[in-house]
Amino acid sequence: MTPLEKTMTHEKSSRPTFRFPHIFVVLFSFICLAALSTHFLQAGSYERVTNEQGRTVVVPDSYAAVEAQEAGWLSPFMAVFEGMGEGSSIIFFIFISGGAFGVLKATGVLQKVVASISNALTGRDLILIPLLMLLFAMGGATFGLAEETIAFIIILAPLLRMLGYDSITAAAVPLVGAGAGFSAAFMNPFTVGVAQDIAELPMFSGMTLRACYWLIFVSVSIAFVTRYAAKVKAHPEASLVFNSDRRQFGKPQANEDPGALSVADKLVLAAFVGTILVIAYGVIRHGWYIGEMSGAFLLMAILIGAFARMNPNKIADHFVEGIQEIAMGALVVGFAFGILVILRNGEILDTILYHLEGLLSGMPAVVTAVCMFFVQLVLNFLVPSGSGQAALTMPLMVPLADLVGVTRQTAVLAFQFGDGISNILTPTSGYFMAGLAVAGVSWSKWIKWILPLAILQLGMASLMIALAQIFSWT
């Protein structure tokens, strides 16, 4: 190499490269921005009452300014601690499920199963992507599958990487699948059910149109993810996370003949599959949530360890290893909740809602309906809970819809699309940010990847809402 070439190589290698800030830096910046906004936005509040169903709802036209609650210099730092407290149930669920899968991972059974599937579906394993996404979409549409996707990412991420896909695909299968089903849900009790109840509509009425919209919305989302997965499978270097995946997880190993599963392997696999089925049954039939799911995963870890002939200390060691791998994903939840802590303590959430509501008045009905959707989209950044956002916004949106001629079914549709689409975009969505961290995908890479789909989903949702209003959907 000539001296000139050496000089040019040195200059090229020493040239600083831009690196997107760590997710903790991003979230803490949002916390600081929220704290700063309490000094510029007027604090205000709506009156709230408890309705006949025992749900706290906002009283329309009751907004009034209140004494300013400006954030102090220590507030952003305290918000992280308080956010950890508010998100503790999700955080400890991630810890426990991550520890349980650490025990499962140590048995090597899933690696054998993946190798068997890969060998059996040589050249055809891509079919797993749409099939799995369809299942997640059904879960999002029927029982509001959301936080539960974290556990599935823990399971699927290493499996899909072993099959030759990347971390974005591993995160997208549960997140985009459940998110699409959640957004266009036809009988989600936490969004459609609560919103229709507040709007005084028959529970799950209008299901035919919603089911049609769900099918279109989910099909487009599945096609987008499957197309990307196929490209990555054929050309791994085309992955947006090719380098980071190699740094974090190494080069995917070729699947060797795993051999027959032993009796112990089959018992371990039965405990794993049985736990997933029990959790699914409990969520659907008995309303299980994070507490019950955590208990089931802890029991699974003990059973798997016993079937794999691990002694109690070895089970505990592998459980801790699983927690260590998942720790950052759990702590991300606390940072995300910290943003909401600042906004709520500063009493500016209702102020933001009040001004957004004012922007909607005086427009044609179709335009108002679509604008309602975008207002709900913005508000979901501040209130990522589906039922919480319904209780906050629907008492205001329903009277507004009546005044401007928007049907109540259309107002509910605008709410559910606005609440759902941004769940896998906004950094205040705790389970979403945790899912990305668990999969090993940075928020910046995710946004870059999902932006075309997000724009497409926004366009589809706007068109669907406009059509519902044009045809006076009731």
Side-chain angles (χ1 to χ4, degrees):
M1 183 180 292
T2 66
L4 177 60
E5 289 174 330
K6 289 182 179 180
T7 302
M8 292 176 65
T9 302
H10 174 72
E11 289 178 353
K12 184 176 181 180
S13 61
S14 61
R15 185 179 301 163
T17 57
F18 174 77
R19 183 187 174 194
F20 196 84
H22 191 282
I23 186 57
F24 286 169
V25 177
V26 172
L27 291 174
F28 189 71
S29 297
F30 277 111
I31 290 174
C32 293
L33 183 62
L36 186 64
S37 67
T38 64
H39 292 266
F40 297 98
L41 292 177
Q42 170 66 55
S45 178
Y46 283 99
E47 292 180 17
R48 287 167 170 79
V49 296
T50 303
N51 63 14
E52 295 178 356
Q53 290 72 35
R55 187 175 294 116
T56 301
V57 297
V58 171
V59 178
D61 300 322
S62 65
Y63 176 83
V66 299
E67 184 178 352
Q69 303 291 329
E70 298 175 350
W73 66 271
L74 195 58
S75 296
F77 306 96
M78 292 174 57
V80 175
F81 172 79
E82 293 178 28
M84 295 288 178
E86 293 219 358
S88 59
S89 59
I90 299 178
I91 292 171
F92 287 114
F93 166 68
I94 296 172
F95 278 142
I96 292 172
S97 58
F101 285 107
V103 178
L104 176 62
K105 181 181 176 182
T107 67
V109 171
L110 288 185
Q111 290 87 327
K112 291 182 180 180
V113 172
V114 169
S116 298
I117 293 173
S118 180
N119 292 337
L121 295 176
T122 303
R124 294 176 290 134
D125 53 61
L126 185 66
I127 195 174
L128 292 173
I129 305 297
L131 289 178
L132 288 170
M133 289 188 69
L134 188 61
L135 290 175
F136 288 123
M138 285 296 298
T142 54
F143 61 90
L145 182 70
E147 285 86 354
E148 298 85 353
T149 54
I150 298 170
F152 289 106
I153 293 174
I154 296 172
I155 300 168
L156 289 175
L159 302 186
L160 290 176
R161 280 194 292 264
M162 282 190 281
L163 287 173
Y165 301 103
D166 66 351
S167 295
I168 285 181
T169 305
V173 169
L175 287 176
V176 176
F182 192 99
S183 299
F186 45 83
M187 55 180 296
N188 181 349
F190 305 108
T191 54
V192 179
V194 173
Q196 287 187 327
D197 178 42
I198 295 172
E200 299 178 345
L201 294 169
M203 188 67 69
F204 302 137
S205 56
M207 188 179 293
T208 301
L209 183 60
R210 282 195 172 84
C212 293
Y213 281 177
W214 177 87
L215 184 61
I216 296 169
F217 207 80
V218 169
S219 298
V220 171
S221 300
I222 289 176
F224 181 86
V225 176
T226 304
R227 180 174 177 269
Y228 174 79
K231 182 173 71 171
V232 168
K233 178 82 172 185
H235 306 286
E237 66 281 358
S239 167
L240 293 179
V241 291
F242 178 77
N243 292 327
S244 61
D245 271 5
R246 291 295 174 90
R247 285 196 303 269
Q248 293 182 85
F249 311 110
K251 186 177 180 179
Q253 300 296 316
N255 291 320
E256 301 175 356
D257 184 6
L261 294 176
S262 66
V263 173
D265 290 340
K266 291 177 181 178
L267 289 173
V268 167
L269 193 59
F272 167 63
V273 174
T275 301
I276 299 301
L277 293 176
V278 167
I279 288 176
Y281 177 80
V283 169
I284 296 171
R285 296 300 300 272
H286 300 291
W288 281 15
Y289 192 49
I290 286 175
E292 294 84 356
M293 291 172 61
S294 298
F297 279 127
L298 184 57
L299 175 60
M300 181 191 81
I302 296 171
L303 289 175
I304 285 175
F307 292 149
R309 298 172 186 172
M310 298 179 187
N311 62 47
N313 283 348
K314 186 61 70 174
I315 294 174
D317 287 339
H318 291 310
F319 190 84
V320 171
E321 289 171 5
I323 291 176
Q324 289 173 341
E325 291 182 6
I326 218 76
M328 190 181 80
L331 297 179
V332 160
V333 176
F335 275 77
F337 271 91
I339 302 170
L340 306 179
V341 166
I342 291 288
L343 294 173
R344 188 186 63 242
N345 290 348
E347 296 201 68
I348 60 174
L349 270 176
D350 284 5
T351 299
I352 295 170
L353 176 62
Y354 172 74
H355 288 297
L356 288 174
E357 180 197 1
L359 292 175
L360 298 179
S361 58
M363 298 179 180
V366 172
V367 177
T368 300
V370 175
C371 287
M372 280 182 173
F373 158 58
F374 283 99
V375 166
Q376 297 283 9
L377 199 71
V378 171
L379 289 172
N380 195 49
F381 177 86
L382 309 174
V383 189
S385 163
S387 55
Q389 186 176 338
L392 177 66
T393 63
M394 290 310 294
L396 303 173
M397 295 300 174
V398 170
L400 177 64
D402 291 342
L403 286 173
V404 300
V406 173
T407 69
R408 293 191 175 193
Q409 289 285 18
T410 304
V412 171
L413 186 67
F415 154 72
Q416 70 178 86
F417 273 127
D419 169 64
I421 291 175
S422 53
N423 277 342
I424 55 173
L425 297 174
T426 62
T428 54
S429 178
Y431 84 88
F432 156 63
M433 296 301 289
L436 291 187
V438 167
V441 179
S442 69
W443 183 61
S444 60
K445 291 286 187 183
W446 175 266
I447 293 299
K448 180 180 179 180
W449 171 77
I450 203 173
L451 187 60
L453 176 61
I455 294 172
L456 188 58
Q457 288 182 338
L458 292 176
M460 286 192 298
S462 299
L463 180 59
M464 290 172 177
I465 292 166
L467 288 174
Q469 177 58 32
I470 290 170
F471 292 107
S472 300
W473 181 41
T474 59

